[in-house]
Amino acid sequence: MSGALSFALPPALEAAEPPAVRDEVRLMVAREGHPLVHARFLELPRHLRPGDLLVVNASATIPAALRAARADGTALDLHLSTPEPPAADTRPGAEAPVLSGCETTGGDSRRWVVELRRGGGRFRGARAGEVLELPAGATARLLAPYLAPGRLWVAELDLPAPLPEYLARHGAPIRYAHETTARPLADHQTIFAEEPGSAEMPSAGRPFTPRALAALRARGVGVAKLVLHTGVSSPERGECPYPERFRVPAATARRVNQARERGGRVVAVGTTVVRALESAAAADGTVRPASGWTGLTITPERGVRAVDGLLTGWHEPDASHLLMLEAIAGRGLLERSYAAALARGYRWHEFGDVHLLLR
């Protein structure tokens, strides 16, 4: 597997707060054999064709960050990532998803994969068996490391109320060092958010607004929905993404296949959508209805089968998602667009600017 793109990201380019107007962020359009185009997000329809189909993620962000304390009083942040995946081959990089026919944890619903943080960084001093105190008398017992020793844990939650109700009262949106001020959950939702489950916002969909969608409809560009509930997005550099829950409905699979049969392009809105569609795609690119867990990692060696383009944010250096971008656009175009983004001051992270890659 080739190495992901590496570069230095100046702190000044890390977007710390949302833009004043969601749909007025900057947009770079990159296509092999064409000059880079620098535009605004509202100009997106100009760079798409009638008959193209955008596929979006309808997962809603949950307030997945909780205050926690160790027995010695050390204060921590506990981030819920995903329910514990079923005991099957959902390891990172697994080519085929484990299909369950429905969204299920495959086990005890109290058991979650969690990340512990302290002072804005990862906390690696936890040990198996210890019990962390959570708000309102709740606890989290750390059972065992999960895939990456010292970073993620499987924890058993003991809560005084059902999880959605408990998080609504005591949780907060996950944020990292670049987001210096806490923001309300609404700032971490997209217009497509329907089904709660993502630890962090599927942020490629954030710039969409009613007027942006109206302009796309007027252009003859379709929009279809699927669901992939994201886990925490803080893997080590070079680390593969972890298993996540997804669902590609029959109606979306049908629209994707029809768009391609009619000569339209399928453009994924976010890397989560690429992962879900590719997990549901046959070798010839035909997408079938599917749901369950996927450990699929998209690399240049593996390639893509069901998507013709990607609308995404700007990813951190060495991130595994950059391999997905390379699989779609090629290394040369990726290097050219990232160099231009750095030179022209594009903004990174969930509140930043966006990047349209077309094959």
Side-chain angles (χ1 to χ4, degrees):
M1 185 171 72
S2 61
L5 186 67
S6 183
F7 55 92
L9 177 60
L13 299 187
E14 299 187 83
E17 59 186 25
V21 181
R22 282 189 182 228
D23 57 17
E24 292 183 0
V25 296
R26 298 170 71 186
L27 166 70
M28 184 191 296
V29 182
R31 187 177 181 188
E32 189 60 47
H34 294 74
L36 299 174
V37 177
H38 303 281
R40 292 284 171 179
F41 181 76
L42 279 174
E43 299 174 77
L44 176 64
R46 291 177 49 195
H47 303 285
L48 298 173
R49 301 192 294 248
D52 286 348
L53 180 69
L54 294 174
V55 184
V56 303
N57 189 351
S59 178
T61 312
I62 62 174
L66 292 165
R67 299 188 312 277
R70 304 183 77 195
D72 63 4
T74 301
L76 302 175
D77 293 314
L78 183 147
H79 292 175
L80 298 178
S81 183
T82 68
E84 182 186 21
D89 187 12
T90 52
R91 67 190 185 279
E95 170 62 21
V98 175
L99 301 179
S100 63
C102 63
E103 294 216 66
T104 175
T105 64
D108 191 335
S109 62
R110 297 174 302 169
R111 291 166 66 134
W112 276 70
V113 176
V114 304
E115 181 183 34
L116 302 179
R117 298 181 73 86
R118 185 185 182 198
R122 299 180 182 92
F123 179 74
R124 301 182 182 275
R127 63 183 185 277
E130 75 170 290
V131 177
L132 304 177
E133 294 183 5
L134 303 177
T139 61
R141 180 182 296 275
L142 303 181
L143 301 179
Y146 179 72
L147 296 180
R151 194 174 80 78
L152 298 180
W153 290 86
V154 175
E156 184 176 84
L157 306 180
D158 186 359
L159 307 177
L163 182 62
E165 179 183 334
Y166 180 79
L167 292 179
R169 292 180 180 177
H170 304 290
I174 289 175
R175 62 189 178 102
Y176 295 106
H178 66 271
E179 189 182 346
T180 54
T181 303
R183 312 292 308 186
L185 185 61
D187 283 349
H188 293 264
Q189 301 288 16
T190 75
I191 194 173
F192 308 113
E194 294 175 351
E195 184 175 311
S198 281
E200 299 179 21
M201 174 175 56
S203 56
R206 194 179 190 281
F208 286 86
T209 60
R211 66 173 175 169
L213 291 173
L216 289 164
R217 285 194 298 270
R219 177 68 168 161
V221 175
V223 177
K225 297 178 181 178
L226 54 74
V227 171
L228 185 142
H229 294 311
T230 69
V232 293
S233 64
S234 58
E236 305 282 5
R237 288 193 175 191
E239 199 171 66
C240 291
Y242 296 115
E244 294 169 313
R245 298 164 291 162
F246 79 103
R247 186 176 71 256
V248 178
T252 295
R254 182 168 58 251
R255 292 188 67 187
V256 166
N257 295 332
Q258 288 175 346
R260 303 193 81 193
E261 289 167 2
R262 296 169 182 173
R265 296 173 297 186
V266 175
V267 178
V269 177
T271 57
T272 60
V273 173
V274 178
R275 195 181 203 198
L277 285 177
E278 293 294 322
S279 295
D284 66 354
T286 301
V287 173
R288 65 194 188 281
S291 69
W293 291 81
T294 179
L296 180 63
T297 299
I298 310 294
T299 65
E301 292 80 9
R302 190 268 187 191
V304 291
R305 302 164 182 169
V307 302
D308 306 295
L310 170 64
L311 181 73
T312 186
W314 296 94
H315 299 276
E316 294 190 14
D318 302 303
S320 62
H321 287 319
L322 290 168
L323 295 174
M324 178 189 292
L325 273 61
E326 186 177 338
I328 294 169
R331 183 72 171 216
L333 183 58
L334 191 63
E335 290 176 343
R336 185 157 60 95
S337 57
Y338 266 74
L342 291 166
R344 289 175 173 259
Y346 277 71
R347 308 273 282 172
W348 259 249
H349 302 310
E350 66 272 28
F351 298 139
D353 299 316
V354 288
H355 188 195
L356 176 62
L357 291 158
L358 294 172
R359 303 181 75 186

